[in-house]
Coordinates of all heavy atoms in Angstrom, one line a residue:
I41 N 68.5 4.7 68.2 CA 67.8 4.9 69.4 C 66.5 4.3 69.4 O 65.8 4.2 68.3 CB 67.7 6.5 69.7 CG1 67.1 7.1 68.5 CG2 69.1 7.1 70.0 CD1 66.9 8.7 68.7
P42 N 65.9 3.9 70.6 CA 64.6 3.4 70.6 C 63.6 4.5 70.3 O 63.8 5.7 70.7 CB 64.5 2.9 72.1 CG 65.9 2.8 72.6 CD 66.7 3.9 71.9
I43 N 62.5 4.1 69.7 CA 61.4 5.1 69.4 C 60.2 4.6 70.2 O 60.0 3.4 70.4 CB 61.1 5.2 68.0 CG1 60.8 3.8 67.3 CG2 62.3 5.9 67.2 CD1 60.3 3.9 65.9
A44 N 59.2 5.6 70.5 CA 58.1 5.3 71.3 C 56.9 5.0 70.4 O 56.0 4.1 70.7 CB 57.7 6.5 72.1
T45 N 56.8 5.7 69.2 CA 55.7 5.5 68.3 C 56.2 5.8 66.9 O 57.3 6.3 66.7 CB 54.5 6.3 68.6 OG1 54.8 7.7 68.1 CG2 54.1 6.4 70.0
A46 N 55.3 5.5 65.9 CA 55.6 5.8 64.5 C 54.3 6.2 63.8 O 53.2 5.8 64.3 CB 56.2 4.6 63.7
H47 N 54.5 7.0 62.8 CA 53.2 7.3 61.9 C 53.8 7.1 60.5 O 54.7 7.7 60.1 CB 52.8 8.8 62.1 CG 51.6 9.1 61.2 ND1 50.4 8.5 61.4 CD2 51.5 10.0 60.1 CE1 49.6 9.0 60.5 NE2 50.2 9.9 59.7
I48 N 53.0 6.2 59.8 CA 53.5 5.7 58.5 C 52.8 6.4 57.3 O 51.6 6.3 57.2 CB 53.2 4.1 58.5 CG1 53.6 3.5 59.8 CG2 53.8 3.5 57.2 CD1 55.1 3.6 60.0
D49 N 53.6 6.9 56.5 CA 53.2 7.6 55.3 C 53.3 6.7 54.0 O 52.9 7.1 52.9 CB 54.0 8.9 55.1 CG 53.4 9.8 54.0 OD1 52.1 9.8 53.9 OD2 54.1 10.5 53.4
G50 N 53.9 5.6 54.2 CA 54.3 4.7 53.0 C 53.1 3.9 52.5 O 53.4 3.1 51.5
A51 N 51.9 4.0 53.0 CA 50.8 3.2 52.5 C 50.1 3.8 51.4 O 49.0 3.3 51.0 CB 49.9 2.8 53.6
L52 N 50.5 4.9 50.9 CA 49.9 5.7 49.8 C 50.5 5.1 48.5 O 51.7 5.1 48.2 CB 50.1 7.2 49.8 CG 49.5 8.1 48.7 CD1 48.0 8.0 48.8 CD2 50.0 9.4 48.9
Y53 N 49.6 4.6 47.6 CA 50.0 3.9 46.4 C 50.7 4.9 45.4 O 50.0 5.9 44.9 CB 48.8 3.3 45.7 CG 49.1 2.6 44.4 CD1 49.8 1.3 44.3 CD2 48.9 3.2 43.1 CE1 50.1 0.7 43.2 CE2 49.1 2.6 42.0 CZ 49.7 1.3 42.0 OH 50.0 0.7 40.8
H54 N 51.9 4.7 45.0 CA 52.6 5.4 43.9 C 53.1 4.5 42.9 O 53.8 4.9 41.9 CB 53.8 6.1 44.5 CG 53.4 7.3 45.5 ND1 52.8 8.4 45.1 CD2 53.6 7.4 46.8 CE1 52.5 9.2 46.1 NE2 53.1 8.6 47.1
G55 N 52.8 3.2 42.9 CA 53.3 2.3 41.9 C 53.3 0.9 42.6 O 53.3 0.8 43.8
D56 N 53.4 -0.1 41.8 CA 53.3 -1.5 42.2 C 54.4 -1.9 43.2 O 54.3 -2.7 44.0 CB 53.3 -2.4 41.1 CG 52.0 -2.4 40.3 OD1 51.1 -1.6 40.6 OD2 51.8 -3.2 39.3
S57 N 55.6 -1.3 43.0 CA 56.7 -1.6 43.8 C 56.5 -1.4 45.3 O 57.0 -2.2 46.1 CB 58.0 -0.8 43.3 OG 57.8 0.6 43.5
G58 N 55.7 -0.3 45.6 CA 55.4 -0.1 47.0 C 54.6 -1.1 47.6 O 54.7 -1.6 48.8
T59 N 53.6 -1.6 46.9 CA 52.8 -2.8 47.3 C 53.6 -4.0 47.5 O 53.6 -4.7 48.5 CB 51.6 -3.1 46.3 OG1 50.9 -1.9 46.1 CG2 50.8 -4.2 46.8
Y60 N 54.5 -4.3 46.5 CA 55.4 -5.5 46.7 C 56.4 -5.4 47.9 O 56.6 -6.4 48.6 CB 56.2 -5.7 45.4 CG 55.3 -6.0 44.2 CD1 55.7 -5.5 42.9 CD2 54.3 -6.8 44.3 CE1 55.0 -5.7 41.8 CE2 53.5 -7.1 43.1 CZ 53.9 -6.6 41.9 OH 53.1 -6.8 40.9
F61 N 56.8 -4.2 48.2 CA 57.7 -4.0 49.3 C 56.9 -4.3 50.7 O 57.5 -5.0 51.5 CB 58.1 -2.5 49.3 CG 58.9 -2.1 50.6 CD1 60.3 -2.5 50.7 CD2 58.3 -1.5 51.6 CE1 61.0 -2.1 51.8 CE2 59.1 -1.2 52.8 CZ 60.4 -1.5 52.9
A62 N 55.7 -3.8 50.8 CA 54.9 -4.0 52.0 C 54.6 -5.5 52.1 O 54.7 -6.1 53.2 CB 53.7 -3.2 52.0
E63 N 54.2 -6.2 51.0 CA 53.9 -7.6 51.0 C 55.2 -8.5 51.3 O 55.1 -9.5 51.9 CB 53.3 -8.0 49.7 CG 51.8 -7.4 49.5 CD 51.2 -7.8 48.3 OE1 51.9 -8.1 47.3 OE2 50.0 -7.6 48.3
K64 N 56.4 -8.0 50.9 CA 57.6 -8.6 51.2 C 57.9 -8.7 52.7 O 58.3 -9.7 53.3 CB 58.8 -8.0 50.5 CG 60.1 -8.7 50.7 CD 60.2 -10.0 50.0 CE 61.6 -10.6 50.0 NZ 61.7 -11.9 49.3
L65 N 57.6 -7.6 53.4 CA 57.7 -7.4 54.9 C 56.7 -8.4 55.6 O 57.0 -9.1 56.4 CB 57.4 -6.0 55.3 CG 58.5 -5.0 55.0 CD1 58.1 -3.6 55.3 CD2 59.8 -5.3 55.7
V66 N 55.5 -8.5 55.0 CA 54.4 -9.4 55.5 C 54.9 -10.8 55.4 O 54.9 -11.6 56.4 CB 53.1 -9.2 54.9 CG1 52.1 -10.3 55.3 CG2 52.6 -7.8 55.2
E67 N 55.4 -11.1 54.2 CA 55.9 -12.5 53.9 C 57.0 -12.9 54.9 O 57.1 -14.1 55.3 CB 56.4 -12.6 52.5 CG 57.0 -13.9 52.0 CD 57.5 -13.8 50.6 OE1 57.1 -13.0 49.8 OE2 58.5 -14.6 50.3
G68 N 57.8 -12.0 55.3 CA 58.9 -12.2 56.2 C 58.4 -12.1 57.7 O 59.4 -12.1 58.5
Q69 N 57.1 -12.1 57.9 CA 56.5 -12.2 59.2 C 56.9 -11.0 60.1 O 57.0 -11.1 61.3 CB 56.9 -13.5 59.9 CG 56.4 -14.8 59.2 CD 56.7 -16.0 59.9 OE1 57.7 -16.2 60.5 NE2 55.7 -17.0 59.8
A70 N 57.1 -9.8 59.5 CA 57.4 -8.6 60.2 C 56.2 -8.1 61.0 O 55.1 -8.2 60.5 CB 58.0 -7.6 59.3
K71 N 56.4 -7.5 62.1 CA 55.4 -6.8 62.8 C 56.0 -5.5 63.5 O 57.2 -5.6 63.9 CB 54.9 -7.7 64.0 CG 54.0 -8.9 63.6 CD 52.6 -8.5 63.0 CE 51.8 -9.7 62.7 NZ 50.5 -9.3 62.2
V72 N 55.1 -4.5 63.5 CA 55.7 -3.3 64.1 C 55.9 -3.5 65.7 O 55.2 -4.3 66.3 CB 54.7 -2.1 63.9 CG1 54.6 -1.8 62.4 CG2 53.3 -2.4 64.5
R73 N 57.0 -2.9 66.2 CA 57.3 -3.1 67.6 C 56.6 -1.9 68.5 O 56.8 -2.1 69.7 CB 58.8 -3.0 67.8 CG 59.5 -4.3 67.2 CD 61.0 -4.1 67.3 NE 61.6 -5.3 66.9 CZ 62.2 -6.2 67.8 NH1 62.1 -5.9 69.1 NH2 62.8 -7.3 67.4
V74 N 56.1 -0.9 67.8 CA 55.6 0.3 68.6 C 54.3 0.7 68.0 O 54.0 0.3 66.8 CB 56.6 1.5 68.5 CG1 57.9 1.2 69.2 CG2 56.9 1.9 67.0
R75 N 53.6 1.4 68.6 CA 52.3 2.0 68.2 C 52.6 2.7 66.8 O 53.3 3.5 66.7 CB 51.6 2.9 69.1 CG 50.3 3.4 68.6 CD 49.6 4.5 69.4 NE 48.3 4.7 68.9 CZ 47.5 5.7 69.4 NH1 47.9 6.4 70.4 NH2 46.4 6.0 68.8
S76 N 51.9 2.2 65.8 CA 52.1 2.8 64.4 C 50.8 3.1 63.7 O 50.0 2.2 63.4 CB 52.9 1.8 63.6 OG 54.1 1.5 64.2
T77 N 50.5 4.4 63.6 CA 49.3 4.8 62.9 C 49.6 5.0 61.5 O 50.7 5.1 61.0 CB 48.7 6.1 63.5 OG1 49.7 7.1 63.6 CG2 48.1 6.0 64.9
L78 N 48.5 5.0 60.7 CA 48.7 5.0 59.2 C 48.2 6.4 58.6 O 47.1 6.8 59.0 CB 47.9 3.9 58.5 CG 48.6 2.5 58.6 CD1 47.7 1.4 58.3 CD2 49.9 2.4 57.7
N79 N 49.0 6.9 57.8 CA 48.6 8.2 57.1 C 47.5 7.8 56.0 O 47.2 6.6 55.8 CB 49.8 8.8 56.4 CG 49.6 10.3 56.2 OD1 49.4 11.0 57.1 ND2 49.7 10.7 55.0
V80 N 47.1 8.7 55.2 CA 46.1 8.5 54.1 C 46.6 7.4 53.1 O 47.8 7.3 52.9 CB 45.7 9.7 53.4 CG1 45.0 10.7 54.3 CG2 46.9 10.3 52.7
G81 N 45.6 6.6 52.7 CA 45.9 5.7 51.5 C 45.3 6.4 50.3 O 44.9 7.5 50.2
S82 N 45.2 5.6 49.3 CA 44.8 6.0 47.9 C 43.3 5.7 47.8 O 42.7 6.2 46.7 CB 45.5 5.4 46.8 OG 46.9 5.7 46.8
L83 N 42.7 5.0 48.7 CA 41.2 4.7 48.6 C 40.5 5.1 49.8 O 41.0 5.1 50.9 CB 41.1 3.1 48.4 CG 41.7 2.5 47.2 CD1 41.6 1.0 47.2 CD2 41.1 3.0 45.9
D84 N 39.3 5.5 49.7 CA 38.3 5.7 50.8 C 37.6 4.4 51.0 O 36.6 4.1 50.4 CB 37.3 6.8 50.3 CG 36.4 7.2 51.5 OD1 36.3 6.4 52.4 OD2 35.7 8.2 51.3
L85 N 38.1 3.7 52.0 CA 37.6 2.3 52.3 C 36.3 2.4 53.0 O 35.6 1.4 53.1 CB 38.6 1.6 53.2 CG 40.0 1.3 52.5 CD1 40.8 0.4 53.4 CD2 39.8 0.5 51.2
T86 N 35.9 3.6 53.5 CA 34.6 3.8 54.2 C 33.5 3.9 53.2 O 32.3 3.7 53.5 CB 34.6 5.0 55.1 OG1 34.6 6.2 54.1 CG2 35.7 5.1 56.0
G87 N 33.8 4.1 51.9 CA 32.7 4.2 50.9 C 32.1 5.6 50.8 O 31.1 5.7 50.1
C88 N 32.6 6.6 51.6 CA 31.9 7.9 51.5 C 32.0 8.5 50.1 O 31.1 9.2 49.7 CB 32.6 8.8 52.5 SG 32.3 8.3 54.3
S89 N 33.2 8.3 49.5 CA 33.4 9.1 48.3 C 33.9 8.1 47.2 O 34.3 7.0 47.5 CB 34.5 10.2 48.5 OG 35.7 9.6 49.0

Side-chain angles (χ1 to χ4, degrees):
I41 53 175
I43 57 171
T45 74
H47 181 65
I48 310 302
D49 191 30
L52 180 66
Y53 177 79
H54 293 295
D56 290 359
S57 60
T59 302
Y60 296 141
F61 174 81
E63 291 179 338
K64 183 72 172 178
L65 290 171
V66 173
E67 181 185 330
Q69 300 183 321
K71 291 286 184 181
V72 297
R73 289 173 173 258
V74 297
R75 182 185 184 185
S76 302
T77 48
L78 286 166
N79 206 57
V80 296
S82 296
L83 300 174
D84 182 347
L85 298 179
T86 69
C88 291
S89 57

